[in-house]
Amino acid sequence: MHPNHQIIIKKQINMALKAGIVGLPNVGKSTLFNCLSSAKAQSANYPFCTIDAQQGQISVPDERLNKLAELVKPGRIVPATCDIVDIAGLVKGASQGEGLGNQFLGNIRETDAIIHVLRCFDNDNIVHVDGSVNPVRDKEIIDAELQLKDLETVENRIKRVEKQARVGGDKQAKIEYDVLVAYRDALLQGKSARTVTFETEDEQTAAKGLFLLTTKPVLYVCNVDDTSAANGNPYVEAVREAIKDEEAELLIISAQTEADIAELESYEEKQMFLEDMGLKESGCDRLIKAIYKLLNLETFITAGEMEVKAWTYRKGWKAPQCAGVIHTDFEKGFIRAEVIKYEDYIKYGSEAAVKEAGKMGVEGKEYVVQDGDIMHFRFNV
């Protein structure tokens, strides 16, 4: 079930996602980044120690690949990957260029999702930039800076299209103007742009074309001490209450604990450590899976003697689009997809046994790919 690997390399569509880790100084951003990535950000007890956005690539944990590899015995296992960017700490006034504001906002604009780290622990040895621990206040500081920048973008754009929309009879300008006004109203109320929804496809297209900072999906990461890693604490509950009306996810992680886990060498040691903490899997693994969910991403798999490989696609994509993730020619010349469900592959033990049991599906252009599908594409160019 593997595509022609000889021609994949040059024309592969890039489906790598990029998530930016943001937060006020000294909330645990760089510690978390260091756990997630082999690239090491400078982690120090003062603001602005992470001056350049640093990027690392991490593997997406997927136990299905290991189980398939036990059956297929491939030359290698290739997991899906995810790009993580550690973005310089933000301070109040960033939207006006305070601190590293302009750089921060430029870096965040390039990401697909925001991982917003909030300090939810007490530690007298780690200074807080605003003098006290208050994660809800910290969240509101960053929200306000991003909203102010978006408001500036929206108002500048309104000046450019208002005349065309009102007197020029330009239908497209009218749609964009209405979208901009809806965004401006929300932002003036201190709400993020992601709280605004649009009914028509034209409005949704116009909204997407604005590339506003606060339309990006957000995952709030509550960084707690090790005793709160399993069940959280009052700080976490305050954040949960504050975001209840947002389209956002929340995750509890102890960044320092994750750093300790990362230093352990064997898988068994890591599992024992997690069990002692009352956790089933590491926070880093949970975080990567949460980012995938946040971005509406899923995985299909190719399995052959050369490799068992995971490929990332957007939920709802059809077979030809997924074929294009491997190689543009696969999409252009798509004929059909041969599909084995993961559970069937594990149950019958081999591709041949699945075929013999009549469990291999032969699907056409309208097939909506499902998470975990093991696929082989037939194409002709």
Side-chain angles (χ1 to χ4, degrees):
M1 302 233 32
H2 52 93
N4 184 343
H5 294 281
Q6 304 305 312
I7 57 174
I8 288 173
I9 305 303
K10 289 186 180 177
K11 293 186 181 177
Q12 183 179 321
I13 291 174
N14 181 16
M15 265 298 294
L17 78 94
K18 186 184 285 187
I21 302 180
V22 306
L24 292 176
N26 290 347
V27 297
K29 282 188 320 91
S30 295
T31 304
L32 185 62
F33 176 81
N34 290 346
C35 301
L36 286 168
S37 169
S38 55
K40 296 294 181 185
Q42 181 190 358
S43 184
N45 184 20
Y46 56 91
F48 308 138
C49 62
T50 313
I51 295 193
D52 296 312
Q54 299 197 34
Q55 184 167 322
Q57 192 172 75
I58 52 177
S59 298
V60 179
D62 193 337
E63 190 55 37
R64 294 174 300 191
L65 300 181
N66 298 326
K67 290 186 177 176
L68 282 170
E70 288 172 12
L71 299 173
V72 178
K73 300 196 168 34
R76 60 180 180 171
I77 300 173
V78 185
T81 59
C82 177
D83 292 339
I84 301 289
V85 186
D86 185 22
I87 296 173
L90 183 71
V91 292
K92 202 178 291 185
S95 58
Q96 305 303 313
E98 289 294 320
L100 298 167
N102 292 330
Q103 183 177 327
F104 172 94
L105 296 164
N107 290 333
I108 206 171
R109 202 176 291 283
E110 295 170 4
T111 64
D112 301 297
I114 297 169
I115 304 166
H116 188 158
V117 183
L118 296 166
R119 177 172 169 174
C120 295
F121 66 89
D122 293 307
N123 186 330
D124 293 339
N125 295 320
I126 301 176
V127 297
H128 189 289
V129 70
D130 281 330
S132 62
V133 176
N134 185 333
V136 174
R137 176 203 58 209
D138 295 354
K139 166 193 145 25
E140 289 170 352
I141 287 172
I142 288 192
D143 282 352
E145 296 304 326
L146 299 183
Q147 288 163 9
L148 285 167
K149 197 66 183 176
D150 278 351
L151 187 58
E152 180 187 306
T153 301
V154 165
E155 288 181 332
N156 287 340
R157 189 71 190 161
I158 283 175
K159 288 174 189 171
R160 290 169 61 184
V161 302
E162 188 170 12
K163 190 174 180 182
Q164 293 169 280
R166 287 188 166 172
V167 297
D170 185 329
K171 184 186 171 189
Q172 202 55 44
K174 176 71 170 71
I175 291 168
E176 186 177 339
Y177 177 75
D178 290 344
V179 166
L180 288 162
V181 168
Y183 275 147
R184 181 176 65 184
D185 290 347
L187 291 163
L188 285 170
Q189 294 172 50
K191 295 177 181 176
S192 292
R194 80 182 70 86
T195 62
V196 182
T197 54
F198 298 101
E199 298 299 321
T200 72
E201 194 173 326
D202 286 342
E203 287 174 327
Q204 290 165 5
T205 301
K208 197 175 288 186
L210 296 171
F211 300 105
L212 298 181
L213 300 173
T214 63
T215 55
K216 295 179 188 292
V218 175
L219 170 66
Y220 291 102
V221 175
C222 292
N223 183 18
V224 300
D225 55 58
D226 58 0
T227 59
S228 305
N231 301 309
N233 59 30
Y235 290 133
V236 174
E237 294 313 308
V239 173
R240 202 184 300 278
E241 178 64 23
I243 69 167
K244 66 181 180 184
D245 295 327
E246 290 188 37
E247 291 289 320
E249 302 285 330
L250 182 144
L251 200 65
I252 303 168
I253 286 181
S254 169
Q256 189 53 56
T257 300
E258 295 300 314
D260 294 340
I261 292 171
E263 289 181 7
L264 298 174
E265 291 186 9
S266 74
Y267 174 79
E268 289 74 18
E269 282 181 305
K270 291 180 181 181
Q271 288 305 115
M272 284 176 62
F273 190 105
L274 288 169
E275 284 172 22
D276 289 344
M277 297 289 298
L279 301 169
K280 290 182 180 176
E281 60 181 338
S282 77
C284 288
D285 284 1
R286 287 185 290 118
L287 175 57
I288 300 163
K289 289 175 183 177
I291 296 168
Y292 246 51
K293 181 182 173 188
L294 194 69
L295 286 169
N296 222 16
L297 297 175
E298 292 182 336
T299 299
F300 72 86
I301 301 166
T302 53
E305 289 180 6
M306 185 179 289
E307 64 183 18
V308 167
K309 182 165 183 173
W311 303 86
T312 300
Y313 69 96
R314 293 205 182 277
K315 187 176 182 178
W317 276 14
K318 293 179 180 176
Q321 288 174 288
C322 288
V325 173
I326 297 176
H327 192 286
T328 51
D329 284 350
F330 284 28
E331 182 171 10
K332 287 177 192 168
F334 179 89
I335 299 171
R336 65 180 182 272
E338 295 168 357
V339 183
I340 297 176
K341 295 300 175 186
Y342 168 76
E343 293 77 12
D344 287 336
Y345 206 115
I346 297 301
K347 178 180 177 181
Y348 293 101
S350 71
E351 183 180 330
V354 170
K355 284 181 180 176
E356 197 174 313
K359 291 291 187 178
M360 178 186 282
V362 178
E363 306 290 352
K365 291 183 177 180
E366 294 304 307
Y367 176 69
V368 178
V369 176
Q370 303 298 306
D371 185 53
D373 277 356
I374 299 159
M375 307 196 70
H376 179 47
F377 298 104
R378 299 288 182 184
F379 70 102
N380 183 25
V381 176

